[in-house]
Amino acid sequence: MTSTRYLDPQLDFVHEPLPVRVVFGAGRFSGISEEVSRLGLRRLLVVCTPGKQVLGESAARLLGDRAAGICAAAQMHVQTDTAEAAVTQARSLSVDGCVAIGGGSAIGLAKAIAVQTELPFVCVPTTYSGSEMTSIWALTENGEKRTSRSPLALARTVIYDPSLTTNLPSTFAVASGMNALAHAVEALYAPESSPIIALLAEESARSLAVALPALRDTTVSNARALAFRGSWLAGMCLGATTMSLHHKICHVLGGRFGLPHAVTHAVVLPHVASFNLPASRDAEAALRRALSSNHPGTALHVLASAAGITDTLQSLGLSKQDIATAADDVVAQPYHNPRPVDRDAVLAILSAAWHGGPPERQSDH
Ligand code: NAD
């Protein structure tokens, strides 16, 4: 019998892999000096968040006399003045490259330096944000976050060492994993999706669905490596596609209302997936397989809540009045989405995520 799945694949696409060297495995961080010397780099600025300065110092120690200094000023949503100060530090130290160690915030600051100075950089991610695999960079000024893509914002080498994620608090680890899942979900219905991206996204979702429930159990030694594998694949998907409604909503909630990045993704994703998937049969089928559920939106909610995410947009600090303002911002400019979006649809999604609970099961018929 011929499977109908193979009669309707996406056979009109462009696929352009991004040239990033990936080094993956427990203990790989100790080889950072060899990785930077492979790139011919001799004077490096280590970039991290203030809370991860100790990690920045370990990177500097491993780099030895290749470490020129540490910039521990990274913060969520890179502010223009923080980026300017970091660029000044990089120039005054005459560095020839940077090492970003930490989550999306540290990587985001290294990208801002790279775009303005054309310096190459190496990433050592310690969360599942996926930023290390993309050429997307952003600056925030007066509450407005502007995002662009640039080849200069692409890391030369990424070192995934799961042992660096053992201190990541499990609730944040799950939220960060949901952020990665959001990349996989939206890549499945992105206009630039391709057979390769569809495979990566489905496999990413499968890895994360297995890893996330195990992240709180420290006896499951492989869970963090599996989550990293999933976030790496999701990061490749994010780097190759443009995101839709879910990312637009989270972008507005983070940029304008200051909501924390990863957990906001965890709270919003089940509701947007439930809204969008009935309009994208291939994406829905892939997620049914990956999540072993006939209702992927509900499965995403169960996954997050069973793994310890009980937040709502209300508990994250969004006021009820802000819902209408956020909905206005989300529909202010057009963008790709598999299902037509209007203000009422966004209001319904935001209200559901504000109150919490499982998403409404929807159909486009
Ligand atoms: P983050 O980098 O802000 O990290 C959150 C907190 O966890 C920080 O205080 C950090 O110091 C700490 N932390 C990081 N790793 C740790 C570890 N292993 N153990 C203990 N604590 C650790 O959060 P994030 O969610 O990784 O990144 C969010 C930022 O990344 C946002 O600004 C978002 O816009 C950006 N982002 C960008 C892209 C892109 O492609 N450009 C993709 C995803 C996210």
Side-chain angles (χ1 to χ4, degrees):
M1 197 173 88
T2 309
S3 165
T4 51
R5 170 168 158 60
Y6 291 102
L7 294 178
D8 189 25
Q10 186 171 353
L11 291 178
D12 182 7
F13 57 86
V14 173
H15 179 65
E16 187 178 356
L18 297 176
V20 183
R21 174 177 162 87
V22 172
V23 178
F24 194 113
R28 288 288 194 168
F29 177 44
S30 62
I32 188 167
S33 202
E34 289 75 42
E35 287 301 327
V36 299
S37 90
R38 206 174 169 278
L39 295 169
L41 303 176
R42 290 162 177 274
R43 273 183 74 73
L44 291 131
L45 178 65
V46 176
V47 180
C48 58
T49 52
K52 288 283 111 191
Q53 179 136 7
V54 173
L55 208 51
E57 284 162 4
S58 356
R61 259 194 311 281
L62 287 167
L63 289 167
D65 56 12
R66 286 196 171 87
I70 297 179
C71 170
Q75 65 206 167
M76 197 152 316
H77 310 305
V78 185
Q79 304 293 324
T80 311
D81 50 359
T82 310
E84 276 168 12
V87 166
T88 303
Q89 186 180 2
R91 287 194 171 125
S92 67
L93 289 171
S94 302
V95 298
D96 59 6
C98 294
V99 168
I101 181 158
S105 298
I107 296 167
L109 183 55
K111 288 179 170 186
I113 298 171
V115 169
Q116 288 172 64
T117 60
E118 303 194 7
L119 290 172
F121 65 102
V122 169
C123 283
V124 186
T126 62
T127 72
Y128 310 129
S129 81
S131 178
E132 66 281 358
M133 290 306 298
T134 82
S135 62
I136 305 165
W137 70 290
L139 280 180
T140 301
E141 192 164 22
N142 302 326
E144 197 180 335
K145 185 171 169 180
R146 289 180 187 277
T147 302
S148 333
R149 287 183 197 242
S150 163
L152 295 169
L154 190 65
R156 295 288 181 89
T157 302
V158 177
I159 303 174
Y160 288 99
D161 185 338
S163 61
L164 296 178
T165 63
T166 47
N167 289 335
L168 197 57
S170 58
T171 311
F172 179 77
V174 172
S176 190
M178 290 295 293
N179 181 196
L181 256 170
H183 306 148
V185 169
E186 294 227 296
L188 282 166
Y189 49 63
E192 308 83 355
S193 204
S194 70
I196 295 281
I197 294 302
L199 288 170
L200 295 178
E202 184 174 334
E203 183 56 18
S204 164
R206 189 172 291 112
S207 292
L208 290 161
V210 173
L212 264 50
L215 286 178
R216 286 208 291 189
D217 184 350
T218 48
T219 61
V220 185
S221 58
N222 219 23
R224 293 198 179 227
L226 191 58
F228 239 170
R229 177 180 183 272
S231 70
W232 163 51
L233 298 174
M236 288 169 74
C237 293
L238 175 66
T241 58
T242 48
M243 299 281 106
S244 300
L245 176 62
H246 170 78
H247 279 75
K248 182 67 193 179
I249 289 177
C250 293
H251 188 93
V252 167
L253 294 175
R256 172 144 186 183
F257 299 99
L259 266 58
H261 182 80
V263 69
T264 301
H265 276 268
V267 170
V268 172
L269 182 63
H271 301 282
V272 176
S274 194
F275 175 80
N276 269 345
L277 290 173
S280 178
R281 295 293 179 201
D282 284 350
E284 186 171 54
L287 285 172
R288 282 182 176 184
R289 291 189 296 271
L291 305 177
S292 305
S293 166
N294 283 334
H295 300 285
T298 308
L300 289 166
H301 172 74
V302 170
L303 188 61
S305 49
I309 308 272
T310 52
D311 288 289
T312 62
L313 292 184
Q314 182 180 15
S315 74
L316 294 179
L318 191 77
S319 75
K320 202 164 192 176
Q321 300 86 291
D322 288 340
I323 292 178
T325 316
D328 289 338
D329 279 12
V330 170
V331 295
Q333 281 162 1
Y335 45 85
H336 171 271
N337 197 59
R339 183 169 177 172
V341 187
D342 60 17
R343 188 173 181 274
D344 285 347
V346 178
L347 277 176
I349 289 168
L350 288 172
S351 300
W354 193 84
H355 285 103
E360 213 178 293
R361 287 185 191 168
Q362 301 200 17
S363 161
D364 62 340
H365 299 299

